[in-house]
Amino acid sequence: MSKRQYVEASKLTAEELRSLPVGTVVQLSLGLGQRLLMRHTADGRYCPVKGSGLSVGALVEVAELIAPHGT
């Protein structure tokens, strides 16, 4: 049985992500073998695929990366 492959979101531009068909699943690779699967919705957002999630450690790392930083 082969492992299903998904498009890596980091390899696409914002325009390419916007133009993917509704229902397309992309993956966000987070290192340490973790990934978050996101499905393109009809309203243009990407939402987590049911059953796809992050460990607490990975969630903390992502939160630190996207948190606003003072200058």
Side-chain angles (χ1 to χ4, degrees):
M1 187 159 142
S2 66
K3 188 175 181 180
R4 185 163 180 185
Q5 298 293 313
Y6 299 97
V7 175
E8 178 61 50
S10 66
K11 295 182 178 180
L12 300 174
T13 65
E15 188 56 40
E16 289 170 326
L17 285 167
R18 279 187 209 96
S19 66
L20 289 173
V22 170
T24 299
V25 175
V26 298
Q27 95 177 9
L28 301 169
S29 296
L30 302 168
L32 301 173
Q34 294 202 39
R35 66 183 184 172
L36 183 60
L37 301 177
M38 307 288 285
R39 179 174 284 114
H40 192 201
T41 62
D43 63 2
R45 298 179 305 142
Y46 279 86
C47 295
V49 171
K50 183 177 180 180
S52 179
L54 302 175
S55 68
V56 171
L59 180 60
V60 168
E61 287 183 37
V62 170
E64 289 173 351
L65 286 172
I66 62 175
H69 298 283
T71 55

